[in-house]
Amino acid sequence: MTELNGQCMCGAVSVTATPAKNAIGACHCDMCRRWTSSALMTFQAEPGYAALGPVKTYTSSDWAERAFCEVCGSALWYRMTAPGPMQGQTQMAAGLFENAGGSKLSLELFIDKKPEGYAFAGDRKQITEAEMMAMYAPSEEGDNQ
């Protein structure tokens, strides 16, 4: 995939990232909707992305952090921090890049949490909150499934 260059709304943060695949996901979970006032649209970034400027991070859960521009508040990325196979995986905010890097919306997460007031056109894989929890929540023994 081609390396993409983007920036936050005010231009204080510049970002360079390479999508892992030509696909965008939309997350409708409570935290993403509160953070963006809509769905968080992202693509998985290959390791080696870079962000220059006043980046701040917020630990939003026991397993992840969110990054934003300190000046304008633009969402930058969601990164898995919990130990395990997904640690370090980063979902880059697609809106930072011109035409979202030309990727296609292929996945909606927490589809049962999506407000009734909007919907995306076209077909894509849709996953409910229960399905997400079954895939990623810690098991009763305390390790990640």
Side-chain angles (χ1 to χ4, degrees), residues 1-23:
M1 302 264 355
T2 303
E3 183 176 84
L4 304 174
N5 295 300
Q7 66 180 30
C8 65
M9 183 169 51
C10 73
V13 176
S14 60
V15 182
T16 303
T18 302
K21 46 190 141 173
N22 190 21

Side-chain angles (χ1 to χ4, degrees), residues 13 35 53-58 66-71 74 76-77:
V13 176
W35 191 29
V55 174
K56 289 290 187 178
T57 58
Y58 172 70
R66 296 166 188 267
F68 58 95
C69 171
E70 181 180 33
V71 177
S74 291
L76 301 174
W77 64 77

